[in-house]
Amino acid sequence: MTLSRRRFLGGSLAATAVAGGLSGCATVTRSTDIAALNKPVQLPTYRRFDGPKPDLPRSHPLMPDCFYRFPEQPGRVTDGVPGDGSDMSGSAPTSNPIPPTADRNAYWQELNNRLGSPLALTITAAADYDDKFATSVAGDTLGDLFNVEGGFSYLPQFLEARAQDLTEYLSGDAILEYPFLANLSTESWRGCVYSGGIRAVPIQRGVMSTDLLLARQDILDQLGVELESPNLDELIKVGKAVTDEKKKRWAFAVPPKWALCAMLGLPRDWEVRDGRLVHSWELPEHKEMLTITRQMVVDGLIHPDGVAKPNQKVWFSQGSAVLTQDTYSSLQSFYRRSVVKSFAIGIPVVRDQSGKVGRVLLGKPNNSIAAIKPSSPERTKMLLRVLNWMAAPFGTEEYLFRKFGLPDRHYTLKGTDPVLTEAGQSEVCLGEFPIQYLADGGYPVYFPGRPEAVDVAYGHLKAVLPTAVLPPVYGLYSPTESTKGKVFTTRFDALTKDIQLGRAKLSAWDEAVTEWRKSGGDAIRAEYEQAMSIQGRK
């Protein structure tokens, strides 16, 4: 799920509700106590699930499992049902059309049968979820299981007050009672630890959420243009070769920020350099990136609305943009929406000016997190069994049902690959029923019916993972970032667009960075550095 700007900023509404609701609670950690907020805990033991052997070798510890096709006879790996017959409730977002309610949805009805406890799930459009979340916090109607976006203010305090402390159930070997949760990566669990406790379960995406440069390989082939492993000069040369304004075709749907970051050696946000945290905004290479993208706009290489009103998924699918930014996991959605038979996606391995593979900035390990309402030990264990069932990994019968529903009604087989029917697209929510935002298994490289896309993604991962960089402050909490970070991001995003469109001079960037450092940037740096020291990361 990609968070919209509205949803991201809307977190402040939830934060206001949370702060107001927790202001009198003496058991909640003070918002300025960096040591207490970032106190470490023994993370869950990782135990890889012994499932089907991937079709391609795992050449790197972060390499996802890669499968060309679904196993022919997936086995059921759970006994009985995880629920105890009692009613459950929950809250989750969706980026797809909201599915029919349980009384009109055969998938949901079968889901309840398999859970063994009926789930009343409040599903909200992703763009509206934070507003709904704030209302639910105020009214205490989030339910037993609820999705939480990890970036809003006062998150540790909220989780301490309103979420079950799961440490005794999940820390160390205790998690082995829930083997599918134990199959989730150690890095993903770091994003669930606040105030010295495990407060949630991860909605893991791993490297599949990494932002990349994608290319319409079929268009490049038709034009006789090669784009294999370009440096900056070669990328711009290709951009000029494929742009044809008369045919309403531009090189880039949006400014290719992440490809340029890889070429210039820029971090996603924070990075440790010479023993100290620095932010991308304050590095000279960031201004160089602004200069490059401004020139791309001047040269007409970026879609005319690509800065001010981007609609890159549509433009890339239609072919009015040959290159765009998106993630590994987006490949399947692009193939699903394409109406061009020859449609093909390439992922170029960009290089820096010295010719080395550009350092890719990996996405955050988690999409979000999900918490459990405080309850008795017996009910908490039951709800964890439910979440464990929802995290059943690829290749199992449980996974096949979760993602594709019932055979014949919701999917048919093409070979061994499930293909959603019209009923499946509606009732199973395009294969992304919102329980995937309460718990989910690791995200494999698997694109049903598109083995060539698996090869493309695998080839790129194999090339970039040896030098790829994980977010260094992921799982750390800065009070100043929590309360001011979204405002800073909004300001810099707006200034970036103004510079790219020629409405502001490049010198305005230096002024903005100076103001950012004074008004909170240096405080965020100091808080993160203290948190890193507390957790032994530095």
Side-chain angles (χ1 to χ4, degrees):
M1 178 178 67
T2 301
L3 299 181
S4 67
R5 175 65 58 194
R6 179 181 175 188
R7 184 182 178 200
F8 189 53
L9 295 177
S12 61
L13 298 175
T16 301
V18 170
L22 306 183
S23 58
C25 185
T27 62
V28 175
T29 305
R30 291 184 296 110
S31 63
T32 56
D33 191 340
I34 306 298
L37 291 165
N38 291 279
K39 182 181 178 181
V41 68
Q42 183 181 11
L43 294 173
T45 298
Y46 171 71
R47 179 170 291 177
R48 180 174 168 82
F49 174 71
D50 186 18
K53 182 181 179 182
D55 291 320
L56 294 167
R58 297 182 75 241
S59 61
H60 187 276
L62 293 176
M63 176 71 77
D65 290 342
C66 299
F67 297 94
Y68 288 128
R69 57 192 60 86
F70 206 85
E72 185 174 357
Q73 294 181 327
R76 181 168 291 196
V77 289
T78 55
D79 295 324
V81 296
D84 60 6
S86 62
D87 292 345
M88 300 183 295
S89 59
S91 302
T94 181
S95 295
N96 296 325
I98 294 176
T101 54
D103 59 321
R104 301 181 295 115
N105 190 329
Y107 170 84
W108 200 331
Q109 293 164 16
E110 178 62 17
L111 173 67
N112 286 339
N113 290 334
R114 294 187 180 217
L115 291 178
S117 285
L119 175 63
L121 187 62
T122 299
I123 303 171
T124 306
D128 301 322
Y129 188 69
D130 275 331
D131 291 357
K132 179 68 174 180
F133 190 89
T135 302
S136 299
V137 169
D140 195 21
T141 57
L142 284 170
D144 298 303
L145 305 165
F146 49 92
N147 179 269
V148 184
E149 203 288 308
F152 70 84
S153 306
Y154 306 109
L155 180 57
Q157 294 86 346
F158 165 71
L159 292 173
E160 280 188 75
R162 299 291 184 89
Q164 178 69 47
D165 185 348
L166 301 173
T167 307
E168 66 175 289
Y169 306 98
L170 300 179
S171 179
D173 287 348
I175 198 175
L176 300 181
E177 289 291 321
Y178 312 99
F180 306 141
L181 296 180
N183 187 48
L184 301 177
S185 73
T186 299
E187 284 300 320
S188 69
W189 284 106
R190 294 188 194 280
C192 300
V193 175
Y194 293 92
S195 307
I198 300 173
R199 310 283 176 179
V201 299
I203 311 302
Q204 179 180 303
R205 291 296 181 266
V207 300
M208 294 296 284
S209 64
T210 300
D211 292 291
L212 310 161
L213 183 69
L214 305 183
R216 281 289 300 272
Q217 191 61 50
D218 55 317
I219 296 178
L220 291 173
D221 290 344
Q222 290 169 13
L223 297 174
V225 176
E226 292 187 4
L227 180 67
E228 295 181 355
S229 187
N231 61 23
L232 176 59
D233 293 337
E234 291 165 346
L235 181 64
I236 292 174
K237 182 179 179 180
V238 167
K240 291 179 178 179
V242 301
T243 297
D244 191 332
E245 189 172 352
K246 291 182 179 178
K247 294 183 179 179
K248 298 189 180 301
R249 185 181 66 231
W250 290 269
F252 303 100
V254 293
K257 174 182 178 179
W258 301 114
L260 294 176
C261 282
M263 291 174 169
L264 299 174
L266 275 168
R268 175 175 290 272
D269 40 48
W270 293 99
E271 181 176 72
V272 177
R273 291 193 179 187
D274 299 323
R276 188 163 188 259
L277 276 177
V278 296
H279 198 285
S280 176
W281 293 336
E282 55 190 333
L283 295 173
E285 295 93 338
H286 199 108
K287 289 174 63 179
E288 184 179 355
M289 180 173 64
L290 292 173
T291 300
I292 293 167
T293 53
R294 168 58 186 157
Q295 190 60 48
M296 286 178 169
V297 172
V298 171
D299 292 342
L301 303 184
I302 299 173
H303 192 285
D305 293 324
V307 175
K309 300 178 182 178
N311 193 12
Q312 58 265 39
K313 287 186 181 293
V314 171
W315 300 333
F316 187 69
S317 297
Q318 292 176 343
S320 53
V322 181
L323 299 149
T324 194
Q325 288 187 162
D326 220 304
T327 63
Y328 292 111
S329 58
S330 73
L331 267 65
Q332 181 59 37
S333 64
F334 279 123
Y335 277 110
R336 279 178 177 169
R337 72 168 62 209
S338 173
V339 295
V340 180
K341 188 175 182 179
S342 62
F343 186 92
I345 296 176
I347 311 178
V349 178
V350 301
R351 294 180 290 125
D352 61 24
Q353 291 304 93
S354 70
K356 295 180 180 178
V357 172
R359 188 190 59 174
V360 169
L361 311 174
L362 298 178
K364 293 180 179 180
N366 296 337
N367 167 278
S368 53
I369 58 177
I372 296 177
K373 182 179 181 179
S375 187
S376 66
E378 292 75 17
R379 185 162 180 82
T380 297
K381 291 177 182 178
M382 185 275 285
L383 293 171
L384 281 171
R385 291 197 300 270
V386 168
L387 295 181
N388 179 69
W389 183 92
M390 293 178 181
F394 177 89
T396 64
E397 195 276 339
E398 290 85 349
Y399 179 98
L400 179 62
F401 169 76
R402 275 196 305 114
K403 298 295 185 181
F404 297 97
L406 296 167
D408 298 325
R409 177 174 178 85
H410 297 121
Y411 72 88
T412 57
L413 290 178
K414 184 177 182 180
T416 60
D417 287 321
V419 179
L420 288 171
T421 63
E422 186 175 343
Q425 292 178 16
S426 171
E427 295 180 0
V428 192
C429 205
L430 297 175
E432 297 178 347
F433 198 79
I435 57 170
Q436 72 172 9
Y437 296 117
L438 298 179
D440 204 357
Y443 213 103
V445 178
Y446 168 66
F447 309 117
R450 292 286 182 175
E452 72 279 8
V454 176
D455 284 331
V456 168
Y458 178 80
H460 191 268
L461 283 162
K462 187 175 181 180
V464 304
L465 280 179
T467 58
V469 180
L470 283 164
V473 299
Y474 184 74
L476 302 178
Y477 181 78
S478 157
T480 306
E481 170 66 29
S482 172
T483 55
K484 295 184 177 182
K486 294 163 190 168
V487 174
F488 293 146
T489 298
T490 302
R491 290 175 181 172
F492 277 104
D493 284 351
L495 181 55
T496 295
K497 291 182 179 180
D498 285 343
I499 292 173
Q500 289 170 339
L501 293 172
R503 299 188 302 222
K505 295 182 179 180
L506 188 61
S507 58
W509 191 263
D510 294 327
E511 299 170 7
V513 170
T514 298
E515 177 58 28
W516 164 74
R517 292 189 60 181
K518 291 179 180 177
S519 58
D522 284 342
I524 295 171
R525 187 197 326 274
E527 290 166 0
Y528 274 142
E529 287 181 338
Q530 183 181 351
M532 292 178 75
S533 178
I534 291 165
Q535 294 202 3
R537 299 197 198 182
K538 185 178 177 182

